[in-house]
Amino acid sequence: TTALLVDDRLDVVLAARQLGIKVDGVHVGQSDIPPEICRAYLGEEAVVGLSAPTGELLDYVRTADVRAIDYFGAGPLHETATKPDCGLDENGNIMTRSFQELTALATCSPLPVVVGGGVKCRDLPALAATGVAGFFVVSAVAGAKEPAKAAQEMVTLWQSKR
C-alpha cells in the first residue's frame, strides 16, 4: 500500500488532519520529536516511522525500543539534494547504503525497513530483491513533470517486483 507521511513535522500532520486532509502519519529522525509523543498524539492507527542512525545502523535496529514505531527508515540509497545532511558520518561525509547492507538490515530488523534518499525507478528491482518492505521518495515524484504519473509508475514497478 501507499501511505502519505509527513517528514519530521508532527504539527503539520495534526494541522492537515484538522483540515480534513488524509495524512497517514509521520516519519521522524533521531533528533526530531520522539516517536512516543507522535504515537500519543496520532493514535494507534497512524503510521509512525523512525530513521535509524547512520553509523550504528545494524546494531541499532537489533536493540532499539520499537513499541512506538511501525518501521525503520534507512538510507540514503544515493546522495540527495532533498536532504543534504542525510546519512552523514562523524566527518561530514555522505554514507550511502548498498543493496548488500539493506539485505542484512531487512534480515535482522524486528520491524519492516523502508529505504529513502535518492531512490529512483531504476533502483526498485534491486531494492525489492533486498527484502525491505518499501521505499520513500520526495524528488522522484515532486520533481517530476507529471507527479501523479511518476508516483503511479513507481508503485506499479514496486508491486511487480514484490
Side-chain angles (χ1 to χ4, degrees), residues 93-153:
N93 301 309
I94 295 281
M95 292 178 59
T96 57
R97 296 295 170 195
S98 70
F99 293 115
Q100 183 179 1
E101 286 176 301
L102 295 172
T103 299
L105 183 61
T107 301
C108 77
S109 178
L111 292 176
V113 174
V114 180
V115 178
V119 175
K120 305 282 187 270
C121 268
R122 67 177 179 267
D123 300 312
L124 296 183
L127 193 58
T130 66
V132 299
F135 64 95
F136 54 94
V137 297
V138 175
S139 58
V141 170
K145 238 180 200 177
E146 297 180 58
K149 184 178 177 184
Q152 186 58 56
E153 180 183 357

